[in-house]
């Protein structure tokens, strides 16, 4: 039996097909709308070393060996592009914005938030566990305290949040933002506290900035989710407060499900 809804849709479809001439002139625009619908663009933002590349690779299902060969260094200075396709011709086009404080970063921010505005934003944070970038010439990992990392993250977020707000107010459809609190395997016992810190209305410095963003963009124009995730790490078994590989995969699946819902894929 056909539901009234389906029937209604079919009727609308017929009406559109009837205006063939009009449809023809709008073909390129419609094709791009279809592409956007099936493969929404997602900006992956966040400070250097938080885990953007690793997460985008996991979400686009790239083999880690292949990815590692291509991007051996933490802190890429160019915009990385990844496409995720599933069997039902749905997916995402990820745009990983370099976290560097460089001209390439500004250009990339312009591209994803102004020139070709993305459909959604995956802002990656690491609860103070960003991998510090090596300073020129020295070997080994750099050092920065968690407090310093959190402060740097907040500064980085202020810039990105401002760009998201101006994109959201300019468009007529809603924008989604998911704050991905990654590297959860490194703070398995504090995941709830970390999620709270990054949530709107929490009264934390990050939460306050999210509240400001929501006020600027308008609540109906911007949806905000905060989800813990890990893109690597864990161990085969859950031991001494660490997350198991299984638990990491579960978190990743939840993030994917939420993104699919926000994109109308499910
Ligand atoms: N433990 C752990 N390490 C991670 C995770 N995601 C990324 N990393 C590591 O953090 C570092 C920075 O990751 P990367 O994706 O290059 O960060 P980006 O600069 O934001 O692109 C790398 O050494 C990764 O191996 C994670 O979920 N857990
Ligand atoms: Mg990177």
């Amino acid at each position: 039996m056909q539901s009234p809804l389906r029937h209604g849709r079919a009727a609308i479809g017929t009406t559109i097909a009837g205006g063939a001439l009009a449809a023809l002139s709008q073909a390129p625009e419609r094709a791009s709308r279809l592409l956007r619908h099936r493969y929404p663009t997602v900006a992956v933002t966040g400070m250097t070393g938080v885990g953007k590349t690793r997460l985008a690779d996991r979400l686009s299902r790239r083999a880690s060996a292949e990815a590692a060969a291509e991007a051996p260094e933490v802190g890429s200075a160019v915009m990385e592009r990844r496409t995720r396709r599933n069997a039902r011709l749905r997916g995402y086009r990820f745009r990983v914005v370099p976290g560097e404080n460089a001209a390439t970063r500004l250009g990339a921010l312009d591209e994803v938030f102004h020139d070709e505005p993305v459909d959604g934003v995956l802002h990656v944070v690491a609860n103070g566990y960003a991998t510090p970038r090596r300073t020129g010439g020295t070997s080994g990992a750099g050092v920065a305290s968690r407090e310093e990392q959190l402060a740097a993250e907040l500064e980085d977020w202020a810039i990105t949040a401002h760009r998201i707000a101006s994109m959201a107010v300019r468009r007529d459809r809603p924008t989604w933002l998911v704050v991905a609190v990654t590297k959860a395997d490194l703070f398995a016992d504090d995941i709830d506290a970390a999620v709270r810190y990054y949530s709107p209305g929490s009264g934390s410095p990050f939460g306050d900035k999210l509240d400001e963003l929501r006020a600027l963009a308008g609540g109906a124009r911007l949806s905000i989710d905060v989800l813990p995730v890990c893109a690597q790490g864990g161990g085969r078994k859950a031991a001494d407060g660490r997350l198991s590989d299984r638990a990491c995969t579960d978190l990743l699946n939840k993030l994917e499900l939420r993104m699919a819902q926000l994109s109308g894929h499910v």
Side-chain angles (χ1 to χ4, degrees):
M1 200 185 78
Q2 234 182 4
S3 77
L5 184 68
R6 272 177 184 264
H7 198 111
R9 275 217 202 113
I12 291 167
T14 314
T15 315
I16 291 172
L21 206 62
L24 208 62
S25 64
Q26 288 165 8
E29 214 239 319
R30 264 221 258 158
S32 90
R33 220 183 315 137
L34 185 68
L35 184 68
R36 202 173 68 207
H37 181 66
R38 290 194 164 173
Y39 293 95
T41 49
V42 178
V44 182
T45 56
M47 196 174 81
T48 294
V50 287
K52 297 179 298 297
T53 299
R54 203 49 69 99
L55 185 58
D57 282 344
R58 279 303 289 274
L59 291 172
S60 57
R61 300 268 157 84
R62 293 214 329 164
S64 52
E66 172 197 348
E70 195 180 300
E73 279 284 328
V74 172
S76 168
V78 294
M79 181 121 80
E80 295 161 13
R81 292 159 197 275
R82 305 270 184 276
T83 301
R84 163 78 191 274
R85 291 182 181 81
N86 75 12
R88 288 163 46 240
L89 287 178
R90 297 245 185 293
Y92 308 94
R93 289 172 288 161
F94 294 102
R95 302 283 180 262
V96 185
V97 176
E100 305 299 290
N101 227 349
T104 48
R105 169 173 161 81
L106 294 178
L109 284 170
D110 273 347
E111 181 174 335
V112 300
F113 293 127
H114 183 272
D115 304 343
E116 295 169 39
V118 290
D119 300 289
V121 182
L122 194 60
H123 185 73
V124 184
V125 291
N127 195 28
Y129 291 99
T131 305
R133 204 160 66 93
R134 286 189 211 162
T135 41
T138 60
S139 58
V143 271
S145 69
R146 274 198 63 217
E147 284 70 26
E148 285 167 339
Q149 294 279 22
L150 286 172
E153 215 178 65
L154 201 61
E155 223 173 279
D156 168 88
W157 171 235
I159 295 165
T160 302
H162 200 266
R163 307 297 297 252
I164 295 173
S166 53
M167 177 179 79
V169 296
R170 251 186 280 118
R171 68 162 46 146
D172 49 8
R173 62 203 154 88
T175 303
W176 57 261
L177 164 68
V178 172
V179 179
V181 187
T182 195
K183 304 201 186 184
D185 55 296
L186 299 180
F187 47 92
D189 291 330
D190 297 317
I191 292 178
D192 291 347
V195 167
R196 219 174 307 123
Y197 171 81
Y198 289 108
S199 291
S202 62
S204 74
F206 199 96
D208 288 350
K209 290 231 184 298
L210 275 173
D211 294 344
E212 280 171 36
L213 168 62
R214 244 199 332 207
L216 264 173
R221 288 173 182 276
L222 183 72
S223 76
I224 302 177
D225 286 271
V226 185
L227 291 171
V229 73
C230 41
Q232 68 172 63
R236 271 198 301 128
K237 290 191 198 139
D240 55 346
R242 293 182 59 196
L243 283 185
S244 64
D245 283 346
R246 178 75 173 279
C248 272
T249 304
D250 282 350
L251 290 177
L252 209 61
N253 288 343
K254 282 188 186 136
L255 172 64
E256 290 195 323
L257 176 62
R258 186 61 191 137
M259 285 175 53
Q261 289 169 339
L262 289 163
S263 306
H265 285 175
V266 289

